[in-house]
Amino acid sequence: MTLKKSIEEKIFTITAEICPPKGTDTEAFLKKARLLKGKIAAGNVTDNQRAVMRLSSLACSALLLREGIDPVFQITCRDRNRLALQSDLLGAWILGVKNVLALTGDHVSFGDHREAKAVFDLDSVQLLQVISKLNSGENMKERPLRGGTAFFTGAVVAPEADPFEPEFIKFEKKVEAGARFFQTQAIYNMDKFRNFFEKTKKYNVKILGGILLLKSAKMAHFLNENVPGVNVPEGFVKELESAPDQLKKGIEIASRQLRELKTFCHGAHIMAIGQEEVVPDIIDMAR
Amino acid sequence: MITTKKKELKTILEYLEGKKNILLIGCGACAEQCMTGGNKELLEMAEILKKEGKNIVDSLLLEEACYSLLLKKELRQRKKEIENTDAVLILSCGVGVSCATEALPKVPSYPALDTLFLARVERHGHFTEGCSLCGECVLAFTGGICPITYCPKGILNGPCGGVVDGMCEADIETPCAWVAIYTRLKEIGRLEDLKRTAPPKDHSMKRKPGKVVVKRNDFKKIY
């Protein structure tokens, strides 16, 4: 079952992030991917996430295909100009990649190559427009392509953004630009998320609620201090701090969120940040 | 105004190694305001270089170091003094160095400063970037707040996912440019400007090197 089919057939759709390795040894990456096979509808391959240089998301998407996992090729605007973006998208398509997630990309100042030139030739909305163009058989200059694409296109939204209005205006622009599904940033406040979900109902898009695995209280503190857009609430932190096995508690919190999402949302997107092997536990526990 | 900062003295001395007779050029416009290349800094540099055993052939404070013709004129008048110059050290933005390089084709020219950005002067000694010289101004649709300059990503269609309580992911002390734009547009009743999708930027407007020649007739034209 592909991501598109799962979403279109209104099955509760679970995706999970799989992070490429920092080098060419793909053994651990593949091992984690195999554990997820059959448990998730698609695996998101991150693109130099947090501006840390890793094996390319395009190459790793192709690896997932070989394993029989439907990949979501994540592509950011940080490292490629409009020529490279289009060229990589065409490349992904001919390799068999059907899903793409368009992102702006974290700023280079977070990463391991802080002296790099950040590209941002396009932004995420414009990138979605470009993907729609490629899907219609044209390049962004409206010149016909010898063979186009038919990507199932996704985007990201921050449901708990504050202020919310500019975020929602951007969401609407992304819908208009061709996004068919949204994988949200991590949910911390389910009531806020429900409100957001209600608002999106009038648009013809599917929402996969973001679940971030909190591996430990230390990680929660680290995220709050270092990762953009992340705001782990005090309640979760306390729960983790008082648990004898913090990872187990994190899995429990994640599966609790998953179970709740199942009652109203189209799907969930699990971000386990390096701990992908526990994703099946989260899914099983939420059954 | 163009903001500059002083290079490390060590770097400057490395540039000038083996060169005895030095011509100093400063700038009475931007670099003087930045306290990096005005009269005081020229005197200071002359003192330092003398201590390092250099001979200062002349020290020139131009009204504007970017005015190529002005520099050539000044140098013509000093032909004799600068005859034996081994190197020119320019205390101005990169434009001043480029002018000196052209005016003195046989003498190596060196920058004493690093050129930073086009600044807004907040108050004496306080500068913030005000314009990115992008070649195609978008301020009409952004409530007069420049996303290309104030957003570290320079994106054009609203905030990225890195906003944390209205602050920027790249610098948590700085408000998100797009939140500021949103607030401003809302205040002036122009929120529809945010709802319109901005097209990709035309970077051909900023092809390098830039060149503008104002034709004589253009002076008389009013649109």
Side-chain angles (χ1 to χ4, degrees):
Chain A
M1 166 99 51
T2 63
L3 174 68
K4 189 166 183 237
K5 198 151 183 262
S6 173
I7 285 180
E8 280 174 356
E9 291 191 359
K10 298 187 174 153
I11 298 165
F12 185 83
T13 301
I14 302 176
T15 57
E17 215 171 71
I18 313 175
C19 192
K22 285 183 184 171
T24 55
D25 182 351
T26 55
E27 208 185 304
F29 172 79
L30 291 172
K31 205 173 143 197
K32 284 176 179 176
R34 284 173 196 140
L35 283 171
L36 297 178
K37 193 179 168 181
K39 298 269 181 189
I40 54 171
N44 278 59
V45 186
T46 52
D47 181 17
N48 292 334
Q49 194 176 19
R50 293 184 60 215
V52 172
M53 195 282 292
R54 288 171 180 273
L55 184 54
S56 90
S57 58
L58 176 49
C60 289
S61 295
L63 286 182
L64 288 192
L65 276 172
R66 274 200 233 157
E67 295 294 321
I69 299 167
D70 194 24
V72 178
F73 168 41
Q74 297 201 176
I75 186 165
T76 76
C77 299
R78 180 195 52 235
D79 308 328
R80 306 170 185 83
N81 71 3
R82 60 192 80 181
L83 278 94
L85 287 167
Q86 292 180 91
S87 172
D88 276 0
L89 284 160
L90 296 179
W93 181 256
I94 59 124
L95 289 172
V97 176
K98 306 278 189 251
N99 318 302
V100 59
L101 187 79
L103 305 103
T104 302
D106 295 329
H107 197 261
V108 290
S109 60
F110 289 103
D112 60 348
H113 289 64
R114 291 171 192 216
E115 309 78 10
K117 178 170 183 169
V119 182
F120 301 116
D121 185 20
L122 303 181
D123 61 34
S124 53
V125 177
Q126 294 159 347
L127 176 57
L128 286 163
Q129 288 179 322
V130 167
I131 297 167
S132 296
K133 272 268 170 288
L134 298 181
N135 279 352
S136 72
E138 290 178 338
N139 70 12
M140 69 178 287
K141 297 294 287 178
E142 297 180 344
R143 297 260 154 48
L145 294 165
R146 189 172 292 174
T149 62
F151 282 118
F152 188 46
T153 311
V156 181
V157 64
E160 295 177 30
D162 181 25
F164 182 69
E165 194 178 15
E167 178 65 24
F168 202 74
I169 290 171
K170 193 158 186 181
F171 166 82
E172 290 175 309
K173 285 182 175 183
K174 286 180 175 180
V175 175
E176 203 190 313
R180 308 267 301 279
F181 68 93
F182 282 82
Q183 292 173 311
T184 80
Q185 286 193 359
I187 304 164
Y188 296 107
N189 182 327
M190 205 46 95
D191 293 334
K192 265 193 184 174
F193 181 77
R194 270 179 196 270
N195 285 338
F196 165 79
F197 184 76
E198 285 302 313
K199 278 197 161 127
T200 64
K201 275 187 172 167
K202 63 173 177 168
Y203 304 89
N204 185 26
V205 294
K206 300 296 176 192
I207 309 289
L208 310 185
I211 297 174
L212 181 76
L213 171 69
L214 300 167
K215 291 182 267 188
S216 63
K218 200 177 142 201
M219 177 199 173
H221 288 301
F222 177 83
L223 289 173
N224 279 346
E225 280 153 32
N226 298 291
V227 180
V230 174
N231 201 355
V232 185
E234 202 49 38
F236 285 169
V237 178
K238 277 191 182 135
E239 251 189 276
L240 289 164
E241 273 169 351
S242 56
D245 182 338
Q246 297 199 346
L247 176 61
K248 213 171 152 193
K249 179 53 82 179
I251 294 168
E252 189 203 306
I253 294 173
S255 68
R256 218 158 64 204
Q257 288 183 310
L258 180 57
R259 202 176 305 128
E260 195 166 354
L261 282 175
K262 279 183 174 177
T263 63
F264 69 93
C265 197
H266 302 132
H269 176 56
I270 305 171
M271 296 165 273
I273 314 188
Q275 203 90 39
E276 289 88 348
E277 64 275 11
V278 308
V279 172
D281 297 341
I282 299 172
I283 296 169
D284 291 341
M285 209 186 264
R287 265 182 220 286
Chain B
M1 198 207 61
I2 312 276
T3 322
T4 46
K5 78 171 194 327
K6 291 179 183 175
K7 277 184 181 285
E8 294 279 332
L9 186 60
K10 192 174 140 266
T11 309
I12 294 170
L13 293 176
E14 272 168 23
Y15 295 157
L16 301 179
E17 210 180 298
K19 305 198 168 62
K20 175 85 181 154
N21 299 315
I22 314 294
L23 168 64
L24 295 178
I25 298 176
C27 172
C30 306
E32 180 156 274
Q33 251 201 85
C34 279
M35 294 163 277
T36 52
N39 196 36
K40 185 174 161 277
E41 293 76 26
L42 279 173
L43 289 170
E44 188 183 72
M45 184 58 78
E47 277 310 303
I48 292 166
L49 294 182
K50 275 182 207 161
K51 270 186 204 153
E52 293 291 328
K54 311 283 181 196
N55 173 39
I56 306 301
V57 293
D58 205 347
S59 176
L60 239 104
L61 180 64
L62 296 167
E63 202 175 318
E64 288 161 304
C66 55
Y67 205 151
S68 179
L69 283 178
L70 183 73
L71 175 63
K72 283 179 186 163
K73 191 179 137 206
E74 290 281 344
L75 291 176
R76 264 201 306 275
Q77 288 168 359
R78 288 170 161 78
K79 233 174 184 167
K80 215 165 162 226
E81 293 93 320
I82 64 170
E83 210 170 40
N84 299 318
T85 303
D86 296 321
V88 195
L89 183 67
I90 301 104
L91 286 72
S92 81
C93 73
V95 183
V97 184
S98 121
C99 291
T101 300
E102 196 189 69
L104 293 161
K106 288 179 184 159
V107 186
S109 46
Y110 296 101
L113 311 178
D114 286 316
T115 310
L116 301 177
F117 52 81
L118 188 55
R120 223 169 73 170
V121 184
E122 305 296 348
R123 57 193 164 95
H124 185 66
H126 287 235
F127 311 103
T128 54
E129 189 162 8
C131 171
S132 296
L133 308 169
C134 75
E136 190 190 33
C137 194
V138 300
L139 290 173
F141 301 106
T142 60
I145 299 168
C146 181
I148 295 151
T149 304
Y150 295 112
C151 166
K153 298 179 185 177
I155 54 175
L156 295 173
N157 279 297
C160 73
V163 195
V164 189
D165 299 329
M167 304 308 266
C168 173
E169 67 169 27
D171 175 10
I172 209 71
E173 315 265 288
T174 306
C176 164
W178 275 104
V179 169
I181 292 168
Y182 155 74
T183 310
R184 166 88 176 141
L185 287 174
K186 203 170 177 183
E187 266 168 22
I188 59 173
R190 295 287 310 167
L191 212 48
E192 64 266 33
D193 285 340
L194 187 60
K195 291 178 181 165
R196 136 195 187 282
T197 295
K201 197 126 182 59
D202 180 358
H203 292 286
S204 71
M205 305 297 274
K206 186 60 188 162
R207 205 161 278 156
K208 289 177 185 188
K211 190 175 179 177
V212 173
V213 179
V214 183
K215 292 194 189 98
R216 203 156 272 281
N217 282 342
D218 289 352
F219 290 121
K220 294 174 196 158
K221 264 191 216 162
I222 307 168
Y223 289 100

